[in-house]
């Protein structure tokens, strides 16, 4: 498999300008062209599953089932859905309006933004690059794709395959690290879409602000999972274990820490230990279903957390640097000032914070940045509703983990520090489209429009107000009168 070659820095402005020139020719606007591109994107994945299986295995030791469910299968389905629904998504949309404006045929046209930049992430190196690309292509844009250089084998494979399936006049890949990305961010784009850490998200947003370029930022954060004492512990343990250890914990919506009601923590640990052995055997390191940490830097970051935690490592804790292996690890009796609670873990280490009341957990979550995901495990739907009504997060799931990412009818994205904007399905098309407000006015009926023009009179004003606006009389403000 070919090694990753970075794009020469001097070529980057030229590539962007070529795509901007292509967009102005109108090449990408016809729906037929967009559908052909989407079919190419689908076939890129469908015809090269074995190659992608090899590349992500070399990058992350990712099991094929996790590749299929979280990456290749998901992208194929996104492309299929976009092809199937593109005529409907792109169709002009009529709007309801007042009597006077109804004659002007007001409607919304979905127009492409222009040339857009999509920067992917290493943990899902196919999905997080190509899922946004589906919407960008469907919307009629020219697209620059920047894969993560950390997942080198997958980036190299995408670079080699993409020109065979997608028109290089409208879709190109640029590879590189900090120097190349810095030059890339200096170019003029009509939208930037970034998935990754909050620190780099700030860099992206700063660069975009210099040219007033709109952004979508898919970031992360410490996603909590509440576990109430009334829950089915065995079921919750299995689902939490799967959600935490999918992709070896290297997922932005993995449960980052547990908030567990006092009295069930020992039983929960026991059941999670059983689930780990059921999923990965007595030695997860030899399991074909358990991946590896992406590189040495992240391995050492996670190893430092294990070395410095003041919690009690009750499951796992084993590491092997030359194999980039960190065992599925559970840490009990973690305090809020523990290193494990400082920032997103992004690995197979799960701290458990035991609380006397769920409201303690709510108060802690609200004191910190809004997470990308929030999970609640409980039989008590009133309690679950209480948690959701009194917290903020990008998304939420009751009694499971991760599954929201697979439901493309739902918006996926963060809020505040966990992200700006959301996507999946039609929402990705909408991100990369401009809703162009349009009216078509008849050149006749000029006499009827005379009431709009000077000289103004009270009679004209009265008629115009009747045509344009509803007249409603509401009672006095109940809040100010102390009734609410």
């Amino acid at each position: 498999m070919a090694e990753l070659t970075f794009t020469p820095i001097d070529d980057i402005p030229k590539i962007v300008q070529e795509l901007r020139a292509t967009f102005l020719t109108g090449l990408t606007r016809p729906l037929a062209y967009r559908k052909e591109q989407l079919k190419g994107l689908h076939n890129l994945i469908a015809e090269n599953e074995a190659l992608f299986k090899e590349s992500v295995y070399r990058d992350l030791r990712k099991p094929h089932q996790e590749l299929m469910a979280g990456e290749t299968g998901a992208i194929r389905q996104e492309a299929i859905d976009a092809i199937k629904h593109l005529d409907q998504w792109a169709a002009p949309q009529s709007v309801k309006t007042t009597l006077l404006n109804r004659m002007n045929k007001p409607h919304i046209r979905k127009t492409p933004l222009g040339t857009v930049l999509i920067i992917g992430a290493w943990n899902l190196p196919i999905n997080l690059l190509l899922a946004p690309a589906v919407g960008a292509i469907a919307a009629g844009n020219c697209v620059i794709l920047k894969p993560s250089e950390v997942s080198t084998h997958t980036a190299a494979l995408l670079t080699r395959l993409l020109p065979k399936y997608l028109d290089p006049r409208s879709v190109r890949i640029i590879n590189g690290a900090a120097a190349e990305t810095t030059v890339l961010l200096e170019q003029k784009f009509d939208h930037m879409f970034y998935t990754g850490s909050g620190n780099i998200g700030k860099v992206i947003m700063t660069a975009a602000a210099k040219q007033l370029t709109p952004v979508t930022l898919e970031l992360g954060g410490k996603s909590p999972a509440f576990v109430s004492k009334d829950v089915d512990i065995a079921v919750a343990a299995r689902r939490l274990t799967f959600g935490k250890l999918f992709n070896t914990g290297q997922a932005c919506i993995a449960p980052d820490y547990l908030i567990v009601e006092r009295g069930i923590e020992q039983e929960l640990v026991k059941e999670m230990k059983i689930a780990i052995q059921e999923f990965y055997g007595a030695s997860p390191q030899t399991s074909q279903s358990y991946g590896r940490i992406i590189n040495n830097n992240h391995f050492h970051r996670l190893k430092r957390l294990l070395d410095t935690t003041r919690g009690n490592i009750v499951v796992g804790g084993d590491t092997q640097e030359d194999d980039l292996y960190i065992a599925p690890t559970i840490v009990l009796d973690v305090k809020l000032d523990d290193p494990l609670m400082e920032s997103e873990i992004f690995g197979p280490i799960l701290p458990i914070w035991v609380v006397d009341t769920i409201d303690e957990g709510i108060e802690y979550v609200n004191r910190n940045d809004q997470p990308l995901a929030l999970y609640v495990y409980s039989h008590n739907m009133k309690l679950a509703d209480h948690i959701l009504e009194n917290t903020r997060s990008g998304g939420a799931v009751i009694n499971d983990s991760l599954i929201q990412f697979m439901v493309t009818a739902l918006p996926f994205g963060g809020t505040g520090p966990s992200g700006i904007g959301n996507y999946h399905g039609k929402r990705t098309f909408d991100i990369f489209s401009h809703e162009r407000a349009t009216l078509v006015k008849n050149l006749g009926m000029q006499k009827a429009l005379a009431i709009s023009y000077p000289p103004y009179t009270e009679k004209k004003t009265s008629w115009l107000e009747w045509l344009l606006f509803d007249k409603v009389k509401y009672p006095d403000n109940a809040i100010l009168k102390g009734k609410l």
Side-chain angles (χ1 to χ4, degrees), residues 10 110 117 162 374 381 426 445 454:
D10 290 344
K110 305 293 181 67
L117 171 64
L162 198 84
L374 183 146
M381 288 301 101
K426 181 179 180 295
M445 301 182 66

Side-chain angles (χ1 to χ4, degrees), residues 138-267:
N141 298 282
C142 288
V143 184
I144 295 283
L145 298 171
K146 166 61 180 69
S148 171
E149 74 281 5
V150 176
S151 47
T152 57
H153 299 96
T154 305
L157 179 61
L158 284 166
T159 303
R160 178 164 65 87
L161 292 178
L162 198 84
K164 299 178 181 180
Y165 290 88
L166 296 176
D167 186 348
R169 293 175 297 173
S170 60
V171 181
R172 297 282 293 275
I173 279 187
I174 289 177
N175 286 299
E180 291 78 11
T181 304
T182 298
V183 173
L184 183 59
L185 293 175
E186 292 171 353
Q187 310 310 307
K188 174 64 178 174
F189 290 100
D190 298 293
H191 196 94
M192 294 181 182
F193 189 113
Y194 167 77
T195 301
S197 72
N199 287 335
I200 302 301
K202 292 175 184 177
V203 174
I204 302 294
M205 198 166 183
T206 299
K210 293 178 181 178
Q211 303 199 61
L212 294 179
T213 301
V215 298
T216 301
L217 302 178
E218 298 295 336
L219 308 176
K222 293 187 74 65
S223 296
F226 289 83
V227 185
S228 73
K229 57 189 174 185
D230 71 323
V231 77
D232 184 320
I233 296 176
V235 171
R238 287 171 60 86
R239 295 180 184 181
L240 282 165
T241 300
F242 172 76
K244 179 61 180 180
L245 298 179
F246 184 92
N247 208 38
T248 327
Q250 298 166 117
C252 57
I253 54 172
D256 191 86
Y257 63 100
L258 304 188
I259 300 171
V260 179
E261 277 196 290
R262 192 174 304 281
I264 64 168
E265 63 272 19
Q266 296 294 343
E267 183 69 16

Side-chain angles (χ1 to χ4, degrees), residues 58-133:
R58 293 180 69 181
D59 285 328
L60 288 152
R61 201 85 71 85
K62 184 177 294 199
H64 186 215
Q65 184 163 321
E66 292 187 4
L67 169 70
M68 179 277 300
E71 303 224 55
T72 55
I75 295 302
R76 292 198 316 268
Q77 191 61 50
E78 287 270 16
I80 290 168
D81 290 344
I83 294 166
K84 187 184 300 182
H85 300 295
L86 183 57
D87 288 343
Q88 177 187 349
W89 293 352
Q93 179 183 341
S94 298
V95 297
K96 293 183 178 180
T97 185
T98 60
L99 177 63
L100 183 63
N101 285 317
R102 207 171 298 160
M103 297 178 291
N104 298 329
K105 299 178 183 177
H107 61 280
I108 299 168
R109 291 175 181 251
K110 305 293 181 67
T111 61
L113 297 178
T115 300
V116 302
L117 171 64
I118 297 171
I119 302 177
W122 56 260
N123 59 316
L124 295 174
I126 303 167
N127 189 314
L128 298 180
L129 185 73
L130 297 186

Side-chain angles (χ1 to χ4, degrees), residues 410-435:
L410 289 173
F412 181 82
T415 176
S418 59
I420 298 173
N422 54 64
Y423 73 119
H424 281 179
K426 181 179 180 295
R427 287 177 178 83
T428 318
F429 172 88
D430 291 338
I431 280 176
F432 293 106
S433 299
H434 171 61
E435 291 191 330

